[in-house]
Amino acid sequence: FSKTNVDVGRIGCIEFTTQNDDLLRIDMVEIRSASHPLVRTMYNVHGTGLSTSHKKGATRLELCVQGIETYFITTKVLDKDSAGTDNHMRMIIHGASSTTRTGFLSYEDINTFRRGAQDTFIFPDLQSVHDVKCVTLLAGGGDKVIIEWVKVVSSTQQTKTFHNPNKTGLST
């Protein structure tokens, strides 16, 4: 949706609140203002849902831009029966100076994490970690997925590929 109002300048965070007990899960927000037309992207890095029911989520959600780095993340699912999933995942990128968290590794209307497939996800406006050291994948469902490798590319850091030599599966 689009909301036209008074120009607020450069936007760094946005807050959502709810008064409804139905669960609403916001993955990401792309936002800009009249005086700063460059789109800024904010991610729901903890996967928090909005709801007045504390069993379902929280009544308040704040999303903020983490930085200016764009990461290209490619995953390769093992080519083996039952290695793929239709569940979502998120990632923590650990580096020499800091960590940054992605939103959900998924695309609307695209079946990701299929057996033997490679999927690439683009995450702008993340924090630069200054030399990627490792990644943590966070599974978002009970259906196991086996990721063979993950490649992290950015315009300012060396490309890194991380392998799963024991073919360890992920699920909640």
Side-chain angles (χ1 to χ4, degrees), residues 18-38:
T18 187
Q19 296 179 344
N20 193 319
D21 70 345
D22 288 339
L23 179 66
L24 172 64
R25 191 170 315 273
I26 298 169
D27 175 27
M28 57 165 282
V29 172
E30 293 179 328
I31 195 164
R32 64 177 172 229
S33 69
S35 63
H36 290 83
L38 182 65

Side-chain angles (χ1 to χ4, degrees), residues 86-161:
D86 58 1
N87 292 334
H88 64 271
M89 286 192 286
R90 291 176 287 120
M91 181 183 292
I92 303 171
I93 303 170
H94 305 269
S97 65
S98 62
T99 62
T100 193
R101 291 174 171 261
T102 70
F104 292 109
L105 278 67
S106 63
Y107 288 110
E108 190 174 326
D109 300 327
I110 296 177
N111 188 8
T112 53
F113 306 117
R114 296 174 321 261
R115 172 187 170 176
Q118 291 183 30
D119 296 299
T120 299
F121 308 95
I122 303 169
F123 291 97
D125 295 322
L126 294 181
Q127 183 174 349
S128 177
V129 299
H130 302 104
D131 189 20
V132 177
K133 298 293 184 191
C134 67
V135 297
T136 302
L137 291 170
L138 306 166
D143 186 20
K144 181 174 73 172
V145 63
I146 303 173
I147 301 295
E148 189 172 340
W149 52 261
V150 175
K151 180 168 46 173
V152 180
V153 177
S154 83
S155 61
T156 63
Q157 301 171 61
Q158 186 178 27
T159 298
K160 297 283 180 82
T161 303

Side-chain angles (χ1 to χ4, degrees), residues 10 57 74 85 109 121 157 164-165:
R10 186 177 177 130
T74 302
T85 185
D109 300 327
F121 308 95
Q157 301 171 61
N164 180 5

